[in-house]
Each structure stands twice: as C-alpha cells, then as structure tokens.
Amino acid sequence: MLHLYIARHGQTQWNVEKRMQGWLDSDLTELGLYNARALGERLKDIELNQVYISPSKRTEETAKTVLGSRRLPLVKDHMFREMSLGSWEGKKQEDIERDEPDLFHAYFHYPEAYRQQGCETFFDFENRVRLALQTILDSHSSGNVLLVTHSVFILMLLNIIKGRRVHDIWNSAYIHDTSLSLVEFDENGTAKILIEGDGKHRKPISAF
C-alpha cells in the first residue's frame, strides 16, 4: 500500500499581495514558515521514504522546514511545477481581471476554453500532472511519499484521481498554504482519497 502525502507550499509574499505566481517565485512569509513547521510536527511520526518537490524556491523551503532535522533527499522535478501563467506571473489578480476580463473569467470558470499565448492550457497541464503521478506510482508500490507542490497542481491531481473533467478542477475545497491531502493506492493502483485539503495544523492569519 502506498500513501501519498500531498502538501502545498507555505504562504508567500505574493500570496499576501494576491499576485499570480506560476513558475515565478516569492519568499515565504513568517506565517508560511510557521505553518510549515506545524505541518512537520503533524507528520513527525510518519516514516517517509521519499520527498518530491517542484524546483520552485517556495516548495523547497517549505519541504526543508517540514522535514526539520530529518535527512531525506529532495527529488526536484519540473513535472511538479505549478501551471505556467506567462505574462500574468507577478501581476495582481485585480489588475489581470481589469485588463483581460474575458481570459481571466475563462481561467476560473471555463478552464477548458482558457488559452493564453505561450502558456499551458488546462489540458496540457492535466497531461503533465498525469505523467507526474505515474512517475511516482512507477517508483513506489508501497510506503509513504511526500509531495510538496502548488495549489492548482494539487487541484488537478485530485481532479484526475476523482476521474473528473478539466471543467471541474475548481469544484473542490480551496487548497490553503501547507494544507494536507492524503491518497492511498492499493497494489492494483486503485486510489482512495483519505484527506483532502486539510489545514487543522495551520494557524489562521487573524491569529498571527
């Protein structure tokens, strides 16, 4: 039996500023680091066999904070990156919505119709996430694996596991920073979602 623990990176400065990140990066906030440490405490009794991360600085810093003193190599792969957003990366959502309202609306409401020049479509992204998942399944038939990645990646991964269409990607619980999902795979590769987007370890922004 394989247990895949899936965590989003900690809160970043651009998250606070409501900027789109995609393949670009920004630093973790103090709250982001706090919640990463809290996730590490939550997972401290889980014997992890491998840790996969995207090459983004925010996922690497989160993973290292979660692991603490545990000495596990981090396997970085571009397959686990967030969806590319091209010219939107680094821009505030409100500015994108003002300047490109139709495209912005399509992104969040009709993802199958979203097309931005030089970027992944949601169908391209779905294929990449499928490949990323299969890579993990081909390498691990049992044990505990941690994947530290990004919100839209996690939504797409869970969407695939649920057997849903691209159109349904946003019809799930919001993936907050450091939220945890857990998927169990049996020896036949059949998946069961045990935890989805859970953040009980997180300290709320209002209390920080």
Side-chain angles (χ1 to χ4, degrees):
M1 197 80 73
L2 171 65
H3 289 94
L4 178 60
Y5 293 82
I6 308 160
R8 183 188 175 191
H9 61 79
Q11 183 196 68
T12 69
Q13 187 58 44
W14 280 6
N15 291 150
V16 174
E17 297 172 5
K18 299 190 183 304
R19 295 181 186 273
M20 304 289 261
Q21 294 191 114
W23 289 1
L24 293 185
D25 236 325
S26 64
D27 293 332
L28 294 186
T29 64
E30 193 174 343
L31 176 59
L33 288 167
Y34 179 95
N35 285 335
R37 287 191 292 269
L39 177 59
E41 182 66 19
R42 180 175 179 177
L43 297 177
K44 67 178 182 180
D45 295 325
I46 304 298
E47 184 178 347
L48 297 172
N49 305 107
Q50 189 63 271
V51 181
Y52 292 91
I53 63 171
S54 87
S56 298
K57 180 178 64 175
R58 58 192 186 274
T59 58
E60 181 171 3
E61 189 172 4
T62 298
K64 288 179 177 179
T65 303
V66 168
L67 291 176
S69 62
R70 288 203 254 189
R71 293 291 176 260
L72 278 170
L74 304 178
V75 179
K76 297 181 190 179
D77 200 299
H78 289 281
M79 287 189 298
F80 304 117
R81 285 190 298 187
E82 184 59 291
M83 184 174 176
S84 64
L85 295 173
S87 64
W88 286 4
E89 295 181 2
K91 292 183 179 179
K92 290 187 175 182
Q93 291 189 26
E94 62 182 342
D95 294 336
I96 298 169
E97 186 173 17
R98 181 197 63 226
D99 297 338
E100 302 179 81
D102 293 341
L103 193 58
F104 187 83
H105 185 76
Y107 179 83
F108 283 109
H109 298 280
Y110 299 100
E112 67 275 21
Y114 165 82
R115 298 285 188 280
Q116 187 181 174
Q117 187 174 4
C119 298
E120 291 175 301
T121 67
F122 277 90
F123 295 104
D124 296 332
F125 185 52
E126 181 187 42
N127 289 336
R128 173 160 66 83
V129 175
R130 285 187 187 277
L131 179 60
L133 174 60
Q134 193 58 52
T135 298
I136 292 175
L137 295 179
D138 288 345
S139 300
H140 305 273
S141 59
S142 62
N144 301 305
V145 171
L146 174 63
L147 169 61
V148 182
T149 181
H150 307 269
S151 60
V152 186
F153 186 101
I154 294 169
L155 285 171
M156 183 62 84
L157 178 58
L158 295 174
N159 205 54
I160 290 168
I161 290 169
K162 293 173 183 176
R164 303 193 312 186
R165 303 171 301 158
V166 160
H167 177 78
D168 298 314
I169 184 173
W170 301 115
N171 297 329
S172 295
Y174 184 77
I175 303 296
H176 290 277
D177 71 280
T178 73
S179 64
L180 180 68
S181 299
L182 173 59
V183 183
E184 179 182 86
F185 296 88
D186 66 17
E187 59 276 6
N188 299 314
T190 302
K192 181 179 181 181
I193 299 174
L194 303 180
I195 301 173
E196 183 173 356
D198 183 78
K200 65 183 180 182
H201 58 279
R202 297 173 65 248
K203 191 168 187 176
I205 294 173
S206 59
F208 197 75

